[in-house]
Amino acid sequence: MNAPEHNLIDLHALRTAEEGPGASGAKAVPDESRAKSAQDEPLQEEAPPRSRLGAIMLRQGAIDATAIERVADHQRGNDMLFGEAAVALKLAKPRAVARALAEQEYVSIEAVGASSIAKEVTAFHDPLSQDTESLRALRTRLAIDESRRLAQGRALTIAIVSAQRAEGRSWLAANLAVVFAQSGRRTVLLDADLRNPRQHQLFGDSSRDGLASWLSGRSAVPGVRPVAGVRSLDLLTAGSRPPNPQELIGSAAFERTLGHLSTSASVMLIDTPAASECADYSLVARSADVVLMVVRERLSRERAIRDFTARLAEIGKAPLGIVYNRQP
Protein backbone atom coordinates (compact mmCIF):
# COMPACT_ATOMS: atom_id res chain seq x y z
CA MET A 1 0.00 0.00 0.00
CA ASN A 2 1.24 3.45 -0.86
CA ALA A 3 -0.29 5.46 1.94
CA PRO A 4 -1.36 9.03 1.11
CA GLU A 5 1.08 11.60 2.44
CA HIS A 6 -1.59 14.08 3.57
CA ASN A 7 -1.22 14.49 7.36
CA LEU A 8 0.41 11.07 7.58
CA ILE A 9 1.43 10.05 11.10
CA ASP A 10 3.59 6.93 10.98
CA LEU A 11 3.52 5.47 14.50
CA HIS A 12 6.87 3.80 13.92
CA ALA A 13 8.43 7.06 12.72
CA LEU A 14 7.52 8.93 15.89
CA ARG A 15 9.88 9.13 18.83
CA THR A 16 9.73 11.18 22.02
CA ALA A 17 12.75 12.84 23.53
CA GLU A 18 12.80 11.54 27.07
CA GLU A 19 13.65 14.09 29.73
CA GLY A 20 17.17 13.81 31.06
CA PRO A 21 19.84 16.21 32.25
CA GLY A 22 19.90 19.17 29.89
CA ALA A 23 16.65 18.21 28.17
CA SER A 24 14.15 20.96 27.53
CA GLY A 25 11.07 18.77 27.97
CA ALA A 26 9.04 16.05 26.32
CA LYS A 27 8.43 16.69 22.65
CA ALA A 28 7.76 14.74 19.48
CA VAL A 29 10.68 14.21 17.11
CA PRO A 30 9.24 12.87 13.83
CA ASP A 31 11.26 11.32 11.02
CA GLU A 32 10.45 13.98 8.44
CA SER A 33 11.08 11.62 5.52
CA ARG A 34 8.29 9.35 6.69
CA ALA A 35 5.82 11.41 8.73
CA LYS A 36 4.28 14.86 8.41
CA SER A 37 2.80 16.90 11.22
CA ALA A 38 -0.93 17.47 11.26
CA GLN A 39 -0.32 21.05 12.40
CA ASP A 40 2.17 23.63 11.14
CA GLU A 41 2.65 25.20 14.56
CA PRO A 42 4.74 23.51 17.26
CA LEU A 43 2.77 21.66 19.91
CA GLN A 44 3.52 22.03 23.59
CA GLU A 45 2.06 19.32 25.78
CA GLU A 46 -0.23 20.64 28.50
CA ALA A 47 0.07 18.16 31.37
CA PRO A 48 0.96 17.91 35.05
CA PRO A 49 4.71 18.37 35.69
CA ARG A 50 6.76 15.24 34.99
CA SER A 51 10.02 14.53 36.80
CA ARG A 52 13.07 13.79 34.71
CA LEU A 53 13.78 10.10 34.43
CA GLY A 54 17.34 10.46 35.72
CA ALA A 55 16.10 12.26 38.83
CA ILE A 56 13.53 9.55 39.49
CA MET A 57 16.12 6.79 39.09
CA LEU A 58 18.49 8.66 41.42
CA ARG A 59 15.79 8.98 44.06
CA GLN A 60 14.92 5.30 43.70
CA GLY A 61 18.57 4.33 44.11
CA ALA A 62 18.74 2.84 40.60
CA ILE A 63 21.63 5.05 39.48
CA ASP A 64 24.18 7.35 41.13
CA ALA A 65 24.74 11.03 40.45
CA THR A 66 28.07 10.58 38.67
CA ALA A 67 26.54 8.10 36.23
CA ILE A 68 23.78 10.48 35.13
CA GLU A 69 26.14 12.71 33.15
CA ARG A 70 27.70 9.68 31.45
CA VAL A 71 24.26 8.47 30.46
CA ALA A 72 23.25 11.93 29.22
CA ASP A 73 26.37 12.22 27.06
CA HIS A 74 25.76 8.76 25.59
CA GLN A 75 22.10 9.63 25.03
CA ARG A 76 22.94 12.80 23.08
CA GLY A 77 25.72 11.21 21.06
CA ASN A 78 23.70 8.20 19.97
CA ASP A 79 20.16 9.62 19.62
CA MET A 80 18.84 7.35 22.36
CA LEU A 81 16.34 7.62 25.17
CA PHE A 82 17.80 8.16 28.64
CA GLY A 83 16.67 4.74 29.81
CA GLU A 84 18.05 3.03 26.72
CA ALA A 85 21.40 4.74 27.21
CA ALA A 86 21.57 3.74 30.88
CA VAL A 87 20.96 0.09 30.00
CA ALA A 88 23.40 0.18 27.05
CA LEU A 89 26.15 1.46 29.36
CA LYS A 90 25.20 -1.20 31.95
CA LEU A 91 24.67 1.53 34.51
CA ALA A 92 21.08 0.47 35.18
CA LYS A 93 18.99 -2.65 34.76
CA PRO A 94 15.96 -2.70 32.43
CA ARG A 95 13.66 -3.43 35.37
CA ALA A 96 14.92 -0.33 37.20
CA VAL A 97 14.35 1.83 34.12
CA ALA A 98 10.84 0.40 33.74
CA ARG A 99 10.03 1.19 37.36
CA ALA A 100 11.27 4.77 37.03
CA LEU A 101 9.39 5.28 33.76
CA ALA A 102 6.28 3.84 35.39
CA GLU A 103 6.48 6.50 38.09
CA GLN A 104 7.04 9.18 35.47
CA GLU A 105 4.01 8.00 33.48
CA TYR A 106 1.74 7.27 36.49
CA VAL A 107 1.86 3.48 35.99
CA SER A 108 1.78 0.92 38.80
CA ILE A 109 4.21 -1.95 38.12
CA GLU A 110 2.41 -4.11 40.66
CA ALA A 111 -0.94 -3.42 38.96
CA VAL A 112 0.51 -4.48 35.60
CA GLY A 113 1.47 -7.88 36.95
CA ALA A 114 -2.00 -8.60 38.35
CA SER A 115 -4.10 -6.93 35.67
CA SER A 116 -6.77 -8.46 33.42
CA ILE A 117 -5.97 -5.90 30.71
CA ALA A 118 -5.08 -7.62 27.41
CA LYS A 119 -1.46 -7.74 26.26
CA GLU A 120 -2.52 -5.76 23.17
CA VAL A 121 -2.71 -2.69 25.39
CA THR A 122 1.02 -2.15 25.01
CA ALA A 123 1.04 1.22 26.71
CA PHE A 124 -0.02 -0.49 29.94
CA HIS A 125 2.07 -3.65 29.81
CA ASP A 126 5.24 -2.33 28.20
CA PRO A 127 5.77 1.38 28.93
CA LEU A 128 9.35 1.18 27.59
CA SER A 129 8.43 -0.15 24.15
CA GLN A 130 8.87 1.83 20.94
CA ASP A 131 5.11 1.51 20.29
CA THR A 132 4.40 3.23 23.59
CA GLU A 133 6.93 5.98 22.88
CA SER A 134 5.26 6.52 19.49
CA LEU A 135 1.87 6.79 21.16
CA ARG A 136 3.22 9.40 23.57
CA ALA A 137 4.50 11.39 20.61
CA LEU A 138 1.03 11.23 19.07
CA ARG A 139 -0.41 12.37 22.41
CA THR A 140 1.88 15.40 22.28
CA ARG A 141 0.68 16.29 18.77
CA LEU A 142 -2.90 16.34 20.01
CA ALA A 143 -2.15 18.41 23.10
CA ILE A 144 -2.73 21.82 21.49
CA ASP A 145 -6.28 20.84 20.51
CA GLU A 146 -6.85 19.59 24.04
CA SER A 147 -5.77 22.89 25.60
CA ARG A 148 -8.15 24.79 23.31
CA ARG A 149 -11.10 22.63 24.34
CA LEU A 150 -10.25 22.84 28.05
CA ALA A 151 -10.25 26.61 27.75
CA GLN A 152 -13.87 26.23 26.65
CA GLY A 153 -14.66 24.07 29.71
CA ARG A 154 -14.95 20.71 27.99
CA ALA A 155 -12.88 17.72 26.94
CA LEU A 156 -11.16 17.18 23.63
CA THR A 157 -13.26 14.51 21.90
CA ILE A 158 -11.34 12.26 19.49
CA ALA A 159 -13.10 9.80 17.16
CA ILE A 160 -10.95 6.90 15.89
CA VAL A 161 -12.14 5.77 12.46
CA SER A 162 -11.06 3.53 9.58
CA ALA A 163 -12.39 2.37 6.24
CA GLN A 164 -12.57 -1.34 7.05
CA ARG A 165 -12.21 -3.86 9.87
CA ALA A 166 -8.91 -5.00 11.40
CA GLU A 167 -7.05 -1.76 10.66
CA GLY A 168 -6.43 -1.03 14.35
CA ARG A 169 -9.13 1.37 15.56
CA SER A 170 -9.73 -0.39 18.87
CA TRP A 171 -6.01 -0.93 19.48
CA LEU A 172 -5.25 2.75 18.88
CA ALA A 173 -8.19 3.99 20.95
CA ALA A 174 -7.26 1.78 23.93
CA ASN A 175 -3.55 2.55 23.89
CA LEU A 176 -3.98 6.26 23.25
CA ALA A 177 -6.46 6.43 26.14
CA VAL A 178 -3.90 4.79 28.43
CA VAL A 179 -1.07 7.18 27.51
CA PHE A 180 -3.33 10.20 28.00
CA ALA A 181 -4.35 8.88 31.43
CA GLN A 182 -0.73 8.09 32.30
CA SER A 183 0.13 11.75 31.81
CA GLY A 184 -2.32 12.63 34.60
CA ARG A 185 -5.20 13.75 32.39
CA ARG A 186 -8.70 12.63 33.30
CA THR A 187 -9.54 10.43 30.30
CA VAL A 188 -12.70 8.66 29.17
CA LEU A 189 -12.67 5.81 26.63
CA LEU A 190 -16.04 5.21 25.00
CA ASP A 191 -16.80 2.17 22.83
CA ALA A 192 -19.35 3.38 20.27
CA ASP A 193 -18.95 0.29 18.09
CA LEU A 194 -22.25 -1.29 19.06
CA ARG A 195 -21.93 -3.95 16.33
CA ASN A 196 -18.51 -5.48 16.98
CA PRO A 197 -17.27 -3.97 20.26
CA ARG A 198 -13.79 -4.76 21.55
CA GLN A 199 -12.94 -2.46 24.42
CA HIS A 200 -14.57 -4.74 27.01
CA GLN A 201 -12.24 -7.52 25.86
CA LEU A 202 -9.14 -5.33 25.87
CA PHE A 203 -9.82 -4.15 29.42
CA GLY A 204 -11.25 -7.36 30.86
CA ASP A 205 -14.69 -5.84 31.59
CA SER A 206 -17.39 -8.52 31.73
CA SER A 207 -20.32 -6.24 32.59
CA ARG A 208 -23.27 -6.32 30.20
CA ASP A 209 -24.21 -2.75 31.12
CA GLY A 210 -22.77 -0.16 28.78
CA LEU A 211 -23.54 2.49 26.22
CA ALA A 212 -26.27 0.51 24.42
CA SER A 213 -28.28 -0.28 27.56
CA TRP A 214 -27.98 3.33 28.70
CA LEU A 215 -29.11 4.82 25.37
CA SER A 216 -32.00 2.37 25.09
CA GLY A 217 -33.22 3.18 28.60
CA ARG A 218 -32.49 -0.26 30.02
CA SER A 219 -29.94 1.10 32.54
CA ALA A 220 -30.49 3.81 35.12
CA VAL A 221 -26.86 5.01 34.91
CA PRO A 222 -24.40 5.19 31.99
CA GLY A 223 -22.12 2.46 33.39
CA VAL A 224 -18.83 4.38 33.28
CA ARG A 225 -16.26 2.44 35.30
CA PRO A 226 -12.67 3.21 36.35
CA VAL A 227 -9.98 1.00 34.82
CA ALA A 228 -8.09 -0.81 37.56
CA GLY A 229 -4.38 -0.05 37.44
CA VAL A 230 -4.66 3.02 35.21
CA ARG A 231 -5.20 6.09 37.30
CA SER A 232 -7.36 8.77 35.63
CA LEU A 233 -8.90 6.41 33.03
CA ASP A 234 -12.63 5.64 32.91
CA LEU A 235 -14.24 3.20 30.48
CA LEU A 236 -17.75 3.06 29.04
CA THR A 237 -18.07 -0.19 27.10
CA ALA A 238 -20.62 -0.83 24.36
CA GLY A 239 -22.53 -3.32 26.51
CA SER A 240 -24.92 -5.89 25.06
CA ARG A 241 -25.41 -5.66 21.29
CA PRO A 242 -28.67 -3.86 20.46
CA PRO A 243 -30.96 -4.55 17.48
CA ASN A 244 -30.88 -0.86 16.43
CA PRO A 245 -27.29 0.44 16.80
CA GLN A 246 -27.54 3.25 14.24
CA GLU A 247 -30.69 4.66 15.81
CA LEU A 248 -29.00 4.71 19.23
CA ILE A 249 -25.83 6.38 17.98
CA GLY A 250 -27.90 8.95 16.07
CA SER A 251 -30.13 9.73 19.04
CA ALA A 252 -30.28 12.87 21.13
CA ALA A 253 -29.44 10.69 24.12
CA PHE A 254 -26.04 9.92 22.59
CA GLU A 255 -25.32 13.63 22.13
CA ARG A 256 -26.33 14.30 25.73
CA THR A 257 -24.09 11.47 26.93
CA LEU A 258 -21.08 12.92 25.11
CA GLY A 259 -21.82 16.33 26.56
CA HIS A 260 -22.12 14.94 30.09
CA LEU A 261 -18.89 12.93 29.88
CA SER A 262 -17.05 15.86 28.32
CA THR A 263 -17.57 18.06 31.36
CA SER A 264 -15.79 15.65 33.71
CA ALA A 265 -12.72 14.81 31.60
CA SER A 266 -9.81 16.38 29.76
CA VAL A 267 -9.83 13.90 26.87
CA MET A 268 -12.46 11.53 25.51
CA LEU A 269 -11.59 8.88 22.92
CA ILE A 270 -14.33 7.14 20.95
CA ASP A 271 -13.94 3.78 19.21
CA THR A 272 -16.19 3.43 16.15
CA PRO A 273 -17.37 0.74 13.70
CA ALA A 274 -15.60 0.24 10.37
CA ALA A 275 -16.98 2.48 7.61
CA SER A 276 -17.29 -0.54 5.29
CA GLU A 277 -19.95 -2.03 7.57
CA CYS A 278 -22.25 0.89 8.37
CA ALA A 279 -22.64 4.64 8.56
CA ASP A 280 -22.46 4.79 12.38
CA TYR A 281 -18.92 6.20 12.19
CA SER A 282 -20.18 9.36 10.47
CA LEU A 283 -22.64 10.08 13.30
CA VAL A 284 -19.84 9.80 15.84
CA ALA A 285 -17.40 11.81 13.71
CA ARG A 286 -19.87 14.70 13.44
CA SER A 287 -19.98 14.90 17.24
CA ALA A 288 -16.20 14.77 17.72
CA ASP A 289 -13.73 17.63 17.81
CA VAL A 290 -10.99 15.64 16.09
CA VAL A 291 -11.02 12.63 13.79
CA LEU A 292 -8.02 10.30 13.56
CA MET A 293 -8.09 7.83 10.67
CA VAL A 294 -6.22 4.52 10.94
CA VAL A 295 -4.70 2.64 8.00
CA ARG A 296 -2.78 -0.61 8.28
CA GLU A 297 0.24 -1.82 6.40
CA ARG A 298 -0.43 -4.73 4.00
CA LEU A 299 -4.19 -4.47 4.62
CA SER A 300 -5.46 -1.00 3.69
CA ARG A 301 -5.84 -0.09 0.02
CA GLU A 302 -5.01 3.34 -1.32
CA ARG A 303 -8.27 3.78 -3.23
CA ALA A 304 -10.32 2.87 -0.15
CA ILE A 305 -8.32 5.34 1.93
CA ARG A 306 -8.83 8.17 -0.55
CA ASP A 307 -12.55 7.42 -0.92
CA PHE A 308 -13.00 7.31 2.85
CA THR A 309 -11.05 10.54 3.35
CA ALA A 310 -13.32 12.22 0.80
CA ARG A 311 -16.45 10.96 2.60
CA LEU A 312 -15.17 12.40 5.88
CA ALA A 313 -14.48 15.73 4.18
CA GLU A 314 -18.04 15.77 2.82
CA ILE A 315 -19.42 15.79 6.37
CA GLY A 316 -16.93 18.47 7.42
CA LYS A 317 -14.69 16.09 9.35
CA ALA A 318 -11.50 15.73 7.34
CA PRO A 319 -9.11 13.72 9.50
CA LEU A 320 -6.61 15.68 11.55
CA GLY A 321 -4.17 12.89 10.82
CA ILE A 322 -3.92 9.48 9.18
CA VAL A 323 -2.23 7.07 11.57
CA TYR A 324 -0.16 4.50 9.69
CA ASN A 325 -0.33 1.30 11.74
CA ARG A 326 2.46 -1.21 11.14
CA GLN A 327 1.26 -3.69 13.73
CA PRO A 328 1.63 -7.24 12.30
PDB file of all heavy atoms in Angstrom, residues 66-88:
ATOM      1  N   THR A  66      26.974  10.485  39.636  1.00  0.00           N
ATOM      2  CA  THR A  66      28.069  10.578  38.668  1.00  0.00           C
ATOM      3  C   THR A  66      27.737   9.867  37.371  1.00  0.00           C
ATOM      4  O   THR A  66      28.250  10.235  36.303  1.00  0.00           O
ATOM      5  CB  THR A  66      29.355   9.974  39.264  1.00  0.00           C
ATOM      6  OG1 THR A  66      29.105   8.605  39.635  1.00  0.00           O
ATOM      7  CG2 THR A  66      29.803  10.754  40.500  1.00  0.00           C
ATOM      8  N   ALA A  67      26.885   8.863  37.429  1.00  0.00           N
ATOM      9  CA  ALA A  67      26.543   8.103  36.226  1.00  0.00           C
ATOM     10  C   ALA A  67      25.570   8.860  35.329  1.00  0.00           C
ATOM     11  O   ALA A  67      25.518   8.618  34.116  1.00  0.00           O
ATOM     12  CB  ALA A  67      25.946   6.754  36.613  1.00  0.00           C
ATOM     13  N   ILE A  68      24.799   9.785  35.905  1.00  0.00           N
ATOM     14  CA  ILE A  68      23.780  10.479  35.127  1.00  0.00           C
ATOM     15  C   ILE A  68      24.389  11.260  33.969  1.00  0.00           C
ATOM     16  O   ILE A  68      23.886  11.235  32.843  1.00  0.00           O
ATOM     17  CB  ILE A  68      22.939  11.393  36.037  1.00  0.00           C
ATOM     18  CG1 ILE A  68      22.041  10.530  36.938  1.00  0.00           C
ATOM     19  CG2 ILE A  68      22.096  12.351  35.212  1.00  0.00           C
ATOM     20  CD1 ILE A  68      21.149  11.321  37.874  1.00  0.00           C
ATOM     21  N   GLU A  69      25.502  11.953  34.221  1.00  0.00           N
ATOM     22  CA  GLU A  69      26.138  12.714  33.151  1.00  0.00           C
ATOM     23  C   GLU A  69      26.684  11.798  32.063  1.00  0.00           C
ATOM     24  O   GLU A  69      26.606  12.122  30.868  1.00  0.00           O
ATOM     25  CB  GLU A  69      27.243  13.599  33.712  1.00  0.00           C
ATOM     26  CG  GLU A  69      26.744  14.851  34.422  1.00  0.00           C
ATOM     27  CD  GLU A  69      25.872  15.725  33.519  1.00  0.00           C
ATOM     28  OE1 GLU A  69      26.169  15.822  32.308  1.00  0.00           O
ATOM     29  OE2 GLU A  69      24.887  16.289  34.023  1.00  0.00           O
ATOM     30  N   ARG A  70      27.215  10.648  32.447  1.00  0.00           N
ATOM     31  CA  ARG A  70      27.698   9.679  31.455  1.00  0.00           C
ATOM     32  C   ARG A  70      26.555   9.204  30.572  1.00  0.00           C
ATOM     33  O   ARG A  70      26.677   9.097  29.352  1.00  0.00           O
ATOM     34  CB  ARG A  70      28.348   8.479  32.148  1.00  0.00           C
ATOM     35  CG  ARG A  70      29.715   8.748  32.753  1.00  0.00           C
ATOM     36  CD  ARG A  70      30.265   7.472  33.362  1.00  0.00           C
ATOM     37  NE  ARG A  70      30.377   6.411  32.353  1.00  0.00           N
ATOM     38  CZ  ARG A  70      30.562   5.122  32.645  1.00  0.00           C
ATOM     39  NH1 ARG A  70      30.634   4.733  33.914  1.00  0.00           N
ATOM     40  NH2 ARG A  70      30.665   4.225  31.676  1.00  0.00           N
ATOM     41  N   VAL A  71      25.432   8.926  31.214  1.00  0.00           N
ATOM     42  CA  VAL A  71      24.258   8.471  30.462  1.00  0.00           C
ATOM     43  C   VAL A  71      23.767   9.578  29.533  1.00  0.00           C
ATOM     44  O   VAL A  71      23.451   9.331  28.362  1.00  0.00           O
ATOM     45  CB  VAL A  71      23.127   8.037  31.417  1.00  0.00           C
ATOM     46  CG1 VAL A  71      21.854   7.722  30.638  1.00  0.00           C
ATOM     47  CG2 VAL A  71      23.556   6.829  32.235  1.00  0.00           C
ATOM     48  N   ALA A  72      23.737  10.807  30.040  1.00  0.00           N
ATOM     49  CA  ALA A  72      23.247  11.929  29.225  1.00  0.00           C
ATOM     50  C   ALA A  72      24.134  12.147  28.004  1.00  0.00           C
ATOM     51  O   ALA A  72      23.639  12.399  26.899  1.00  0.00           O
ATOM     52  CB  ALA A  72      23.183  13.193  30.076  1.00  0.00           C
ATOM     53  N   ASP A  73      25.461  12.054  28.192  1.00  0.00           N
ATOM     54  CA  ASP A  73      26.374  12.216  27.058  1.00  0.00           C
ATOM     55  C   ASP A  73      26.160  11.116  26.024  1.00  0.00           C
ATOM     56  O   ASP A  73      26.135  11.384  24.812  1.00  0.00           O
ATOM     57  CB  ASP A  73      27.825  12.179  27.553  1.00  0.00           C
ATOM     58  CG  ASP A  73      28.203  13.430  28.329  1.00  0.00           C
ATOM     59  OD1 ASP A  73      27.497  14.445  28.194  1.00  0.00           O
ATOM     60  OD2 ASP A  73      29.190  13.370  29.093  1.00  0.00           O
ATOM     61  N   HIS A  74      25.983   9.890  26.503  1.00  0.00           N
ATOM     62  CA  HIS A  74      25.762   8.759  25.589  1.00  0.00           C
ATOM     63  C   HIS A  74      24.419   8.912  24.876  1.00  0.00           C
ATOM     64  O   HIS A  74      24.291   8.604  23.684  1.00  0.00           O
ATOM     65  CB  HIS A  74      25.805   7.447  26.375  1.00  0.00           C
ATOM     66  CG  HIS A  74      25.869   6.225  25.521  1.00  0.00           C
ATOM     67  ND1 HIS A  74      27.007   5.853  24.830  1.00  0.00           N
ATOM     68  CD2 HIS A  74      24.931   5.283  25.217  1.00  0.00           C
ATOM     69  CE1 HIS A  74      26.775   4.745  24.155  1.00  0.00           C
ATOM     70  NE2 HIS A  74      25.522   4.376  24.377  1.00  0.00           N
ATOM     71  N   GLN A  75      23.436   9.408  25.594  1.00  0.00           N
ATOM     72  CA  GLN A  75      22.102   9.634  25.029  1.00  0.00           C
ATOM     73  C   GLN A  75      22.170  10.626  23.878  1.00  0.00           C
ATOM     74  O   GLN A  75      21.646  10.385  22.785  1.00  0.00           O
ATOM     75  CB  GLN A  75      21.170  10.161  26.125  1.00  0.00           C
ATOM     76  CG  GLN A  75      19.789  10.584  25.639  1.00  0.00           C
ATOM     77  CD  GLN A  75      19.009  11.314  26.714  1.00  0.00           C
ATOM     78  OE1 GLN A  75      19.557  11.724  27.728  1.00  0.00           O
ATOM     79  NE2 GLN A  75      17.717  11.497  26.483  1.00  0.00           N
ATOM     80  N   ARG A  76      22.857  11.759  24.106  1.00  0.00           N
ATOM     81  CA  ARG A  76      22.941  12.795  23.081  1.00  0.00           C
ATOM     82  C   ARG A  76      23.771  12.348  21.883  1.00  0.00           C
ATOM     83  O   ARG A  76      23.436  12.636  20.737  1.00  0.00           O
ATOM     84  CB  ARG A  76      23.537  14.076  23.688  1.00  0.00           C
ATOM     85  CG  ARG A  76      22.597  14.816  24.621  1.00  0.00           C
ATOM     86  CD  ARG A  76      23.178  16.170  25.005  1.00  0.00           C
ATOM     87  NE  ARG A  76      24.349  16.026  25.884  1.00  0.00           N
ATOM     88  CZ  ARG A  76      24.284  16.054  27.206  1.00  0.00           C
ATOM     89  NH1 ARG A  76      23.106  16.214  27.808  1.00  0.00           N
ATOM     90  NH2 ARG A  76      25.376  15.935  27.927  1.00  0.00           N
ATOM     91  N   GLY A  77      24.839  11.621  22.145  1.00  0.00           N
ATOM     92  CA  GLY A  77      25.716  11.214  21.060  1.00  0.00           C
ATOM     93  C   GLY A  77      25.192  10.098  20.194  1.00  0.00           C
ATOM     94  O   GLY A  77      25.663   9.895  19.065  1.00  0.00           O
ATOM     95  N   ASN A  78      24.195   9.362  20.699  1.00  0.00           N
ATOM     96  CA  ASN A  78      23.698   8.195  19.966  1.00  0.00           C
ATOM     97  C   ASN A  78      22.208   8.256  19.667  1.00  0.00           C
ATOM     98  O   ASN A  78      21.615   7.259  19.241  1.00  0.00           O
ATOM     99  CB  ASN A  78      23.996   6.920  20.756  1.00  0.00           C
ATOM    100  CG  ASN A  78      25.476   6.652  20.876  1.00  0.00           C
ATOM    101  OD1 ASN A  78      26.090   6.065  19.993  1.00  0.00           O
ATOM    102  ND2 ASN A  78      26.075   7.089  21.992  1.00  0.00           N
ATOM    103  N   ASP A  79      21.584   9.439  19.896  1.00  0.00           N
ATOM    104  CA  ASP A  79      20.162   9.618  19.615  1.00  0.00           C
ATOM    105  C   ASP A  79      19.335   8.527  20.288  1.00  0.00           C
ATOM    106  O   ASP A  79      18.545   7.826  19.656  1.00  0.00           O
ATOM    107  CB  ASP A  79      19.904   9.613  18.100  1.00  0.00           C
ATOM    108  CG  ASP A  79      18.473  10.024  17.768  1.00  0.00           C
ATOM    109  OD1 ASP A  79      17.868  10.753  18.576  1.00  0.00           O
ATOM    110  OD2 ASP A  79      17.964   9.584  16.721  1.00  0.00           O
ATOM    111  N   MET A  80      19.533   8.378  21.591  1.00  0.00           N
ATOM    112  CA  MET A  80      18.840   7.353  22.357  1.00  0.00           C
ATOM    113  C   MET A  80      17.989   7.997  23.439  1.00  0.00           C
ATOM    114  O   MET A  80      18.164   9.172  23.776  1.00  0.00           O
ATOM    115  CB  MET A  80      19.859   6.403  23.017  1.00  0.00           C
ATOM    116  CG  MET A  80      20.800   5.695  22.054  1.00  0.00           C
ATOM    117  SD  MET A  80      22.057   4.712  22.919  1.00  0.00           S
ATOM    118  CE  MET A  80      21.059   3.324  23.467  1.00  0.00           C
ATOM    119  N   LEU A  81      17.071   7.206  23.993  1.00  0.00           N
ATOM    120  CA  LEU A  81      16.343   7.623  25.169  1.00  0.00           C
ATOM    121  C   LEU A  81      17.248   7.459  26.384  1.00  0.00           C
ATOM    122  O   LEU A  81      18.184   6.659  26.385  1.00  0.00           O
ATOM    123  CB  LEU A  81      15.084   6.791  25.347  1.00  0.00           C
ATOM    124  CG  LEU A  81      14.082   6.831  24.192  1.00  0.00           C
ATOM    125  CD1 LEU A  81      12.945   5.865  24.448  1.00  0.00           C
ATOM    126  CD2 LEU A  81      13.548   8.235  23.985  1.00  0.00           C
ATOM    127  N   PHE A  82      16.960   8.222  27.450  1.00  0.00           N
ATOM    128  CA  PHE A  82      17.804   8.163  28.643  1.00  0.00           C
ATOM    129  C   PHE A  82      17.857   6.740  29.202  1.00  0.00           C
ATOM    130  O   PHE A  82      18.932   6.236  29.549  1.00  0.00           O
ATOM    131  CB  PHE A  82      17.269   9.130  29.707  1.00  0.00           C
ATOM    132  CG  PHE A  82      18.139   9.204  30.939  1.00  0.00           C
ATOM    133  CD1 PHE A  82      19.204  10.080  30.991  1.00  0.00           C
ATOM    134  CD2 PHE A  82      17.888   8.389  32.025  1.00  0.00           C
ATOM    135  CE1 PHE A  82      20.021  10.142  32.122  1.00  0.00           C
ATOM    136  CE2 PHE A  82      18.689   8.440  33.156  1.00  0.00           C
ATOM    137  CZ  PHE A  82      19.755   9.320  33.203  1.00  0.00           C
ATOM    138  N   GLY A  83      16.707   6.096  29.282  1.00  0.00           N
ATOM    139  CA  GLY A  83      16.674   4.737  29.811  1.00  0.00           C
ATOM    140  C   GLY A  83      17.444   3.754  28.946  1.00  0.00           C
ATOM    141  O   GLY A  83      18.148   2.868  29.455  1.00  0.00           O
ATOM    142  N   GLU A  84      17.307   3.902  27.636  1.00  0.00           N
ATOM    143  CA  GLU A  84      18.051   3.031  26.716  1.00  0.00           C
ATOM    144  C   GLU A  84      19.556   3.203  26.902  1.00  0.00           C
ATOM    145  O   GLU A  84      20.318   2.233  26.910  1.00  0.00           O
ATOM    146  CB  GLU A  84      17.679   3.355  25.269  1.00  0.00           C
ATOM    147  CG  GLU A  84      16.268   2.960  24.876  1.00  0.00           C
ATOM    148  CD  GLU A  84      15.918   3.413  23.464  1.00  0.00           C
ATOM    149  OE1 GLU A  84      16.536   4.373  22.974  1.00  0.00           O
ATOM    150  OE2 GLU A  84      15.030   2.795  22.871  1.00  0.00           O
ATOM    151  N   ALA A  85      19.975   4.462  27.049  1.00  0.00           N
ATOM    152  CA  ALA A  85      21.397   4.738  27.211  1.00  0.00           C
ATOM    153  C   ALA A  85      21.929   4.158  28.516  1.00  0.00           C
ATOM    154  O   ALA A  85      23.033   3.606  28.568  1.00  0.00           O
ATOM    155  CB  ALA A  85      21.639   6.247  27.160  1.00  0.00           C
ATOM    156  N   ALA A  86      21.143   4.274  29.586  1.00  0.00           N
ATOM    157  CA  ALA A  86      21.572   3.737  30.881  1.00  0.00           C
ATOM    158  C   ALA A  86      21.759   2.229  30.819  1.00  0.00           C
ATOM    159  O   ALA A  86      22.722   1.684  31.363  1.00  0.00           O
ATOM    160  CB  ALA A  86      20.545   4.108  31.956  1.00  0.00           C
ATOM    161  N   VAL A  87      20.859   1.549  30.134  1.00  0.00           N
ATOM    162  CA  VAL A  87      20.959   0.088  30.004  1.00  0.00           C
ATOM    163  C   VAL A  87      22.131  -0.279  29.096  1.00  0.00           C
ATOM    164  O   VAL A  87      22.889  -1.216  29.382  1.00  0.00           O
ATOM    165  CB  VAL A  87      19.638  -0.492  29.459  1.00  0.00           C
ATOM    166  CG1 VAL A  87      19.792  -1.980  29.131  1.00  0.00           C
ATOM    167  CG2 VAL A  87      18.519  -0.297  30.483  1.00  0.00           C
ATOM    168  N   ALA A  88      22.302   0.463  27.991  1.00  0.00           N
ATOM    169  CA  ALA A  88      23.396   0.178  27.054  1.00  0.00           C
ATOM    170  C   ALA A  88      24.758   0.298  27.726  1.00  0.00           C
ATOM    171  O   ALA A  88      25.675  -0.473  27.439  1.00  0.00           O
ATOM    172  CB  ALA A  88      23.310   1.115  25.850  1.00  0.00           C
TER     173      ALA A  88
END
